Amino acid sequence: QVQLVESGGRLVQAGDSLRLSCAASGVSLSTSGMGWFRQAPGKEREFVAAISWSGTTKVYADSVKGRFFILRDAAENTVFLQMNILKPEDTGVYYCTFRPWGNGDARAEDYDFWGQGTQVTVSS
């Protein structure tokens, strides 16, 4: 049974850093492309970052490029989202997702399974 459990979200101030974690079970990160998406209140879910199954390709939304970094620990079967210089517009529920043999896909419809999400709130 596939399970993705996100954690690490909390209330922070603008300019702070935060690391989100996504612990995967029932699926191997070594054969899975992983993605992070977020959804703000009243808005559609949007792409944040993705990493390919090989770990060699990383893709970022323009709004987070240079501030956010997607990392993975294959041994722990966990993917991380390191978020730096946070802004109020980064506020939202952050979701982890996977796709078998994914190559850094940026469309939500390309992914097969989603976690429950973790709330990130950035105050100004």
Side-chain angles (χ1 to χ4, degrees):
Q1 182 178 357
V2 175
Q3 191 172 17
L4 300 175
V5 180
E6 302 96 332
S7 62
R10 61 183 177 90
L11 172 64
V12 296
Q13 292 187 331
D16 285 352
S17 295
L18 197 61
R19 174 172 286 204
L20 305 183
S21 299
C22 173
S25 59
V27 60
S28 172
L29 264 58
S30 299
T31 60
S32 301
M34 303 297 294
W36 284 97
F37 287 72
R38 67 187 180 189
Q39 188 166 18
K43 295 187 177 181
E44 293 187 354
R45 191 170 297 189
E46 66 172 357
F47 170 74
V48 176
I51 185 169
S52 64
W53 67 271
S54 64
T56 58
T57 299
K58 298 179 182 181
V59 181
Y60 298 95
D62 288 343
S63 59
V64 306
K65 202 170 292 183
R67 299 189 298 123
F68 289 15
F69 302 93
I70 187 168
L71 312 162
R72 74 175 190 181
D73 185 332
E76 295 294 327
N77 226 35
T78 300
V79 64
F80 304 95
L81 185 67
Q82 177 65 42
M83 305 187 294
N84 301 322
I85 318 175
L86 281 161
K87 304 176 180 180
E89 51 263 44
D90 294 320
T91 293
V93 178
Y94 282 70
Y95 298 92
C96 174
T97 183
F98 93 100
R99 178 186 184 186
W101 306 108
N103 282 306
D105 307 279
R107 301 188 312 164
E109 55 264 38
D110 289 333
Y111 289 89
D112 297 320
F113 192 86
W114 297 79
Q116 294 300 306
T118 185
Q119 175 70 47
V120 173
T121 303
V122 184
S123 65
S124 58

